[in-house]
Amino acid sequence: MLFAAQVLLDVTPRSLARPLDYAVPQSLADSVAIGAPVLVPLGSRPAVGYVVSVGEPQVTDGLRDIVDVLGDPLFDEARWNLASWIAREYACRPIDALRLFLPPGSSPKVAKREDGWRLKPPPTSPATERLVELLDPGYRPPAAAHRQRAIVAALVNGPLRVSELRAAIGPPDAALAALQKKGVVAIFEQRRWRSVSGGLAREDRRHTLTKAQAEAVEAIVKASPGSVVLLDGVTGSGKTEVYMQAVDAVLRQGRRAIVLVPEISLTPQTVGRFRARFGAQLAVLHSRLSDGERYDQWQLASSGEARVVIGARSALFAPVRDLGLVVIDEEHEPSYKQSSEPRYHARDVARELVRRQGAVLVLGSATPSLESLHASETGEVRRVVLPARATGAPMPAVTVVDMTQEFADGNRTMFSRPLAAALDDVIARRGKAVLFINRRGFASFVLCRECGFVPHCESCSVSLTYHEDRSSLVCHHCGHTEALPQRCPRCGSPYLRRFGTGTQRVEAEIVSRWPDVPVVRMDADTTARKGGHERVLAEFEQAPFGVLVGTQMIAKGLDYPDVELVGIVDADTGMHMPDFRATERTFQLLMQVSGRAGRAARPGRVVVQTYWPDHPAVRAVVSGDRSALVAGELAERRELGYPPFGRLARVLVASPSRSAALSAADEIASRLAASVPADWMLLGPTEPAIGRLKGLYRRHIVVKAPPGVPLGPTLWAALTDGAARTGVRLAIDVDPYEML
Ligand code: ADP
Ligand code: ZN
Ligand code: ZN
């Protein structure tokens, strides 16, 4: 009997997407195993691949030998099976799905050595980088010691490297030395931190659970293997404490847990709480780690030393054995869907993962997705409710302001009379307020008042946004920046007017009305640097009073007890998006932002400015009752066959040549028409809302299918058989969340 292995090559052509058979020479028989990286002949050259199965070959003719085994196995059969499931489900190459499961930085680079080919060694973290840890979180530096205050604020969520501290707040050296002398901070080497972080853990306030929280923990602990629990708890209801005590219970059973948060940099408080509770048992995985750091965290999980992994979407693929629990916090967040290949949704992959491993999946949110709410109605998912804030604080009172009435009454400013009065009041009492405007920059677009010309991006079919600080026009899709012209490029008129409002304009308006109030702005522009989020949040937290102006970045995980007022400057931004989820998303965003108000003793209030006070999302936020919105949206989706009552996929082609994009889209549409089942529907090809992006012309076809049917295999078979589409990019997106 010939011993053979199936090897998945680490190369990109779709024609080589499937594993190939190779013979295993006697000399390698002991080291060829599933997951092993190997060197194999491909044509006349060696190529790297991974063994995905071993056994008897299908055909023996012309079978070539594996040249060498390059290292220890990197995955097991179960993980390969899940990778294959992802590839089928999302119509992507198996190697792209498998890469999710490989240790970071292990994309194989081989080097020829005396003893044959070897994988280049994995990255390791710099061993001597010094770290600073806060020992006394209760310490308040003197008012004049600004640097010391900034350092303490920056460290409340966990240790930072000296270099990170420097990047965030400038050279901290003298202030740092002073704090070290007082015993407020400690400075040490990373290696030491890695092994002792549990010992240095901050004070951890472990709450006595409320009745509702205790019932939720019990429901999770008793859930049957493979099942899903939806934790539906209002903002501030103590979902994090429920997650942590459920994780505790799982660890006591000798099993392990994975916790996903939407984006680590936006949820430093959640991560800080897990770190304080689980210390050295916790591994943290996120995109802002260096390759070496990520590799270290991965090894901590893989070796079993870390028993809890917390991270963004991709932490789902960390090598955690004996998995007992997966938690997805803020499960409604669109960031759980990956927008590049493989275009998986972490919630759906997690459901498959827990089913295969006999673990339990917890989906937590104050505003669950309609998919999850519907699944709880059908009984597929068990819903557990936390109806009130854990601290006993009341939910904030919400006021809606009809901006058409303000305009009719002669108020042409961006602040309605009720919002201005509420700000006056909070500022007079030296309190804190948060203002939400979901657009960065100063004005959304510029328009010539004489000829109507609007400056557009030269490579995208979108108008440019005016940024006051740089006095320039910026494309929010590709980053293209140009100077604001003095005169209209078309007619020469000097009357260029700026329309619409962004964060910079709100900030400027606050400064001009209340010159003495500290204003902190949080958007993609102010947080671009590493540590930027932490720095901005710390600045607001440390300010004795003031106003935070921000985009949807401020909607998540911000738990500041002293915010009394939340003003939603323009509730309407997302309502008119050409997206069947526009109403759902608007509601989620408004609700999450509102939830930042009144988390402590002082009652909170929310003022919502809108031109559409009757919009179902606005009404649901004002009443605090989403049932009408959910029922209405679900009825509409049922009617139209949208998720969860049907499945969608989007096939997008893009090309620098307009005619190539057009003809490729036509060809693909006819191919699909010939191959999809009769009860599927094809819409298009049409031009998407953004017809040109980053210099590429775009066409798309939307596929609609009955609920529950797999789309991937049909799409893959129809679209990847090597039809010549030179110069055209093709993207298949199953269960798309973005169709612009
Ligand atoms: P959520 O994640 O549901 O928005 P959090 O977990 O952030 O809520 O909790 C909100 C606040 O309530 C936090 O400051 C937390 O420390 C506090 N908290 C949580 N559980 C309890 C409890 N059982 N008793 C008192 N306070 C609690
Ligand atoms: Zn003009
Ligand atoms: Zn652009």
Side-chain angles (χ1 to χ4, degrees), residues 149-181:
R149 294 170 68 112
I151 292 171
V152 170
L155 293 173
V156 284
N157 294 313
L160 287 177
R161 289 196 218 95
V162 176
S163 60
E164 285 172 331
L165 214 48
R166 210 169 264 142
I169 60 175
D173 303 321
L176 197 57
L179 288 171
Q180 192 181 10
K181 210 165 151 198

CSV table of all heavy atoms in Angstrom, one decimal, residues 149-181:
chain,number,residue,atom,x,y,z
A,149,ARG,N,-0.9,63.1,35.6
A,149,ARG,CA,-2.3,62.8,35.4
A,149,ARG,C,-2.5,62.0,34.2
A,149,ARG,O,-3.3,61.0,34.1
A,149,ARG,CB,-3.1,64.1,35.4
A,149,ARG,CG,-3.1,64.8,36.8
A,149,ARG,CD,-3.8,66.1,36.6
A,149,ARG,NE,-5.2,66.0,36.4
A,149,ARG,CZ,-6.1,66.3,37.3
A,149,ARG,NH1,-5.7,66.9,38.4
A,149,ARG,NH2,-7.4,66.1,37.0
A,150,ALA,N,-1.9,62.5,33.1
A,150,ALA,CA,-2.1,61.8,31.8
A,150,ALA,C,-1.5,60.4,31.8
A,150,ALA,O,-2.1,59.5,31.3
A,150,ALA,CB,-1.4,62.6,30.7
A,151,ILE,N,-0.4,60.2,32.5
A,151,ILE,CA,0.2,58.9,32.6
A,151,ILE,C,-0.8,57.9,33.4
A,151,ILE,O,-1.1,56.8,32.9
A,151,ILE,CB,1.6,58.9,33.3
A,151,ILE,CG1,2.6,59.6,32.4
A,151,ILE,CG2,2.1,57.5,33.6
A,151,ILE,CD1,3.9,59.9,33.0
A,152,VAL,N,-1.2,58.4,34.5
A,152,VAL,CA,-2.1,57.5,35.3
A,152,VAL,C,-3.4,57.2,34.5
A,152,VAL,O,-3.8,56.0,34.5
A,152,VAL,CB,-2.5,58.3,36.7
A,152,VAL,CG1,-3.6,57.5,37.4
A,152,VAL,CG2,-1.3,58.4,37.6
A,153,ALA,N,-3.9,58.2,33.8
A,153,ALA,CA,-5.1,58.0,33.0
A,153,ALA,C,-4.9,56.9,31.9
A,153,ALA,O,-5.7,56.1,31.6
A,153,ALA,CB,-5.6,59.3,32.4
A,154,ALA,N,-3.7,57.1,31.3
A,154,ALA,CA,-3.4,56.2,30.2
A,154,ALA,C,-3.2,54.7,30.6
A,154,ALA,O,-3.3,53.8,29.8
A,154,ALA,CB,-2.1,56.7,29.4
A,155,LEU,N,-2.8,54.6,31.9
A,155,LEU,CA,-2.5,53.2,32.4
A,155,LEU,C,-3.7,52.5,33.1
A,155,LEU,O,-3.5,51.3,33.4
A,155,LEU,CB,-1.3,53.3,33.4
A,155,LEU,CG,0.0,53.7,32.7
A,155,LEU,CD1,1.0,53.9,33.8
A,155,LEU,CD2,0.5,52.6,31.7
A,156,VAL,N,-4.8,53.2,33.2
A,156,VAL,CA,-5.9,52.5,34.0
A,156,VAL,C,-6.4,51.2,33.4
A,156,VAL,O,-6.9,50.4,34.0
A,156,VAL,CB,-7.1,53.5,34.2
A,156,VAL,CG1,-6.8,54.5,35.3
A,156,VAL,CG2,-7.6,54.1,33.0
A,157,ASN,N,-6.2,51.1,32.1
A,157,ASN,CA,-6.7,49.9,31.4
A,157,ASN,C,-5.7,48.8,31.2
A,157,ASN,O,-6.0,47.8,30.5
A,157,ASN,CB,-7.4,50.3,30.1
A,157,ASN,CG,-8.6,51.1,30.3
A,157,ASN,OD1,-9.4,50.8,31.1
A,157,ASN,ND2,-8.7,52.2,29.5
A,158,GLY,N,-4.5,49.0,31.8
A,158,GLY,CA,-3.5,48.0,31.6
A,158,GLY,C,-2.2,48.5,31.3
A,158,GLY,O,-2.1,49.7,31.0
A,159,PRO,N,-1.1,47.7,31.4
A,159,PRO,CA,0.2,48.2,31.2
A,159,PRO,C,0.4,48.7,29.8
A,159,PRO,O,-0.2,48.2,28.9
A,159,PRO,CB,1.1,47.0,31.5
A,159,PRO,CG,0.2,46.0,32.1
A,159,PRO,CD,-1.2,46.3,31.7
A,160,LEU,N,1.3,49.6,29.6
A,160,LEU,CA,1.7,50.1,28.3
A,160,LEU,C,3.3,50.0,28.2
A,160,LEU,O,3.9,50.1,29.2
A,160,LEU,CB,1.3,51.5,28.0
A,160,LEU,CG,-0.2,51.8,27.8
A,160,LEU,CD1,-0.4,53.3,27.7
A,160,LEU,CD2,-0.7,51.1,26.6
A,161,ARG,N,3.8,49.9,27.0
A,161,ARG,CA,5.2,50.1,26.8
A,161,ARG,C,5.6,51.5,27.0
A,161,ARG,O,4.8,52.4,26.7
A,161,ARG,CB,5.6,49.6,25.4
A,161,ARG,CG,5.5,48.2,25.2
A,161,ARG,CD,6.3,47.8,24.0
A,161,ARG,NE,5.5,46.7,23.3
A,161,ARG,CZ,4.7,46.9,22.3
A,161,ARG,NH1,4.5,48.2,21.9
A,161,ARG,NH2,4.0,46.0,21.8
A,162,VAL,N,6.8,51.7,27.4
A,162,VAL,CA,7.3,53.1,27.5
A,162,VAL,C,7.1,53.9,26.2
A,162,VAL,O,6.7,55.0,26.2
A,162,VAL,CB,8.8,53.1,28.0
A,162,VAL,CG1,9.3,54.6,28.1
A,162,VAL,CG2,8.9,52.5,29.4
A,163,SER,N,7.4,53.2,25.1
A,163,SER,CA,7.4,53.8,23.8
A,163,SER,C,5.9,54.2,23.5
A,163,SER,O,5.7,55.2,22.9
A,163,SER,CB,7.9,52.9,22.7
A,163,SER,OG,7.2,51.7,22.7
A,164,GLU,N,4.9,53.4,23.9
A,164,GLU,CA,3.5,53.7,23.6
A,164,GLU,C,3.1,54.9,24.4
A,164,GLU,O,2.4,55.8,23.9
A,164,GLU,CB,2.6,52.5,24.0
A,164,GLU,CG,2.7,51.4,23.0
A,164,GLU,CD,1.9,50.1,23.5
A,164,GLU,OE1,1.8,50.0,24.8
A,164,GLU,OE2,1.4,49.4,22.7
A,165,LEU,N,3.6,55.0,25.7
A,165,LEU,CA,3.3,56.1,26.5
A,165,LEU,C,3.8,57.4,25.9
A,165,LEU,O,3.2,58.4,25.9
A,165,LEU,CB,3.9,55.8,27.9
A,165,LEU,CG,3.2,56.3,29.2
A,165,LEU,CD1,1.8,55.9,29.2
A,165,LEU,CD2,3.9,55.7,30.4
A,166,ARG,N,5.0,57.2,25.4
A,166,ARG,CA,5.7,58.4,24.8
A,166,ARG,C,4.9,58.9,23.6
A,166,ARG,O,4.7,60.0,23.3
A,166,ARG,CB,7.1,58.0,24.4
A,166,ARG,CG,8.1,59.1,24.4
A,166,ARG,CD,9.5,58.6,24.3
A,166,ARG,NE,10.1,58.5,25.5
A,166,ARG,CZ,11.0,57.5,25.8
A,166,ARG,NH1,11.2,56.5,24.9
A,166,ARG,NH2,11.5,57.4,27.0
A,167,ALA,N,4.4,57.9,22.8
A,167,ALA,CA,3.7,58.2,21.6
A,167,ALA,C,2.3,58.9,21.9
A,167,ALA,O,1.9,59.8,21.3
A,167,ALA,CB,3.4,57.0,20.7
A,168,ALA,N,1.8,58.5,23.0
A,168,ALA,CA,0.4,59.0,23.4
A,168,ALA,C,0.5,60.3,24.1
A,168,ALA,O,-0.3,61.2,23.8
A,168,ALA,CB,-0.3,58.0,24.3
A,169,ILE,N,1.5,60.6,24.9
A,169,ILE,CA,1.5,61.8,25.7
A,169,ILE,C,2.8,62.6,25.6
A,169,ILE,O,2.9,63.5,26.4
A,169,ILE,CB,1.1,61.5,27.2
A,169,ILE,CG1,2.2,60.6,27.8
A,169,ILE,CG2,-0.3,61.0,27.3
A,169,ILE,CD1,2.0,60.4,29.2
A,170,GLY,N,3.7,62.2,24.8
A,170,GLY,CA,5.0,63.0,24.7
A,170,GLY,C,5.9,62.4,25.7
A,170,GLY,O,5.6,61.4,26.4
A,171,PRO,N,7.2,62.9,25.7
A,171,PRO,CA,8.2,62.3,26.6
A,171,PRO,C,7.7,62.3,28.1
A,171,PRO,O,7.5,63.4,28.6
A,171,PRO,CB,9.4,63.2,26.4
A,171,PRO,CG,9.1,64.0,25.2
A,171,PRO,CD,7.6,64.1,25.0
A,172,PRO,N,7.5,61.2,28.7
A,172,PRO,CA,7.0,61.2,30.0
A,172,PRO,C,8.0,61.0,31.1
A,172,PRO,O,7.7,60.9,32.3
A,172,PRO,CB,6.1,59.9,30.0
A,172,PRO,CG,6.8,59.0,29.1
A,172,PRO,CD,7.6,59.8,28.1
A,173,ASP,N,9.3,61.1,30.7
A,173,ASP,CA,10.4,60.6,31.6
A,173,ASP,C,10.4,61.1,33.1
A,173,ASP,O,10.3,60.4,34.0
A,173,ASP,CB,11.7,60.8,31.0
A,173,ASP,CG,11.7,60.1,29.6
A,173,ASP,OD1,11.1,59.0,29.5
A,173,ASP,OD2,12.3,60.6,28.7
A,174,ALA,N,10.4,62.5,33.2
A,174,ALA,CA,10.5,63.0,34.6
A,174,ALA,C,9.3,62.7,35.4
A,174,ALA,O,9.4,62.2,36.5
A,174,ALA,CB,10.7,64.5,34.5
A,175,ALA,N,8.1,62.8,34.8
A,175,ALA,CA,6.9,62.5,35.5
A,175,ALA,C,6.8,61.0,35.8
A,175,ALA,O,6.4,60.7,36.9
A,175,ALA,CB,5.7,62.9,34.6
A,176,LEU,N,7.3,60.2,34.9
A,176,LEU,CA,7.3,58.8,35.1
A,176,LEU,C,8.2,58.4,36.3
A,176,LEU,O,7.8,57.6,37.2
A,176,LEU,CB,7.7,58.1,33.9
A,176,LEU,CG,7.4,56.6,33.7
A,176,LEU,CD1,5.9,56.3,33.9
A,176,LEU,CD2,7.9,56.0,32.4
A,177,ALA,N,9.3,59.0,36.4
A,177,ALA,CA,10.3,58.8,37.5
A,177,ALA,C,9.6,59.2,38.8
A,177,ALA,O,9.8,58.5,39.8
A,177,ALA,CB,11.6,59.5,37.2
A,178,ALA,N,8.9,60.3,38.8
A,178,ALA,CA,8.3,60.8,40.0
A,178,ALA,C,7.3,59.8,40.5
A,178,ALA,O,7.2,59.4,41.7
A,178,ALA,CB,7.7,62.1,39.8
A,179,LEU,N,6.5,59.3,39.5
A,179,LEU,CA,5.4,58.3,39.9
A,179,LEU,C,6.0,57.0,40.4
A,179,LEU,O,5.5,56.4,41.3
A,179,LEU,CB,4.5,58.0,38.7
A,179,LEU,CG,3.6,59.2,38.3
A,179,LEU,CD1,2.9,58.9,37.0
A,179,LEU,CD2,2.5,59.4,39.4
A,180,GLN,N,7.1,56.6,39.8
A,180,GLN,CA,7.8,55.4,40.2
A,180,GLN,C,8.3,55.5,41.6
A,180,GLN,O,8.2,54.6,42.4
A,180,GLN,CB,8.9,55.1,39.2
A,180,GLN,CG,9.5,53.7,39.3
A,180,GLN,CD,10.6,53.5,38.4
A,180,GLN,OE1,11.1,54.4,37.7
A,180,GLN,NE2,11.1,52.2,38.2
A,181,LYS,N,8.9,56.7,41.9
A,181,LYS,CA,9.4,56.9,43.2
A,181,LYS,C,8.3,56.8,44.3
A,181,LYS,O,8.6,56.3,45.4
A,181,LYS,CB,10.1,58.3,43.2
A,181,LYS,CG,11.2,58.4,44.2
A,181,LYS,CD,12.1,59.7,43.9
A,181,LYS,CE,12.7,60.2,45.2
A,181,LYS,NZ,13.2,61.5,45.0
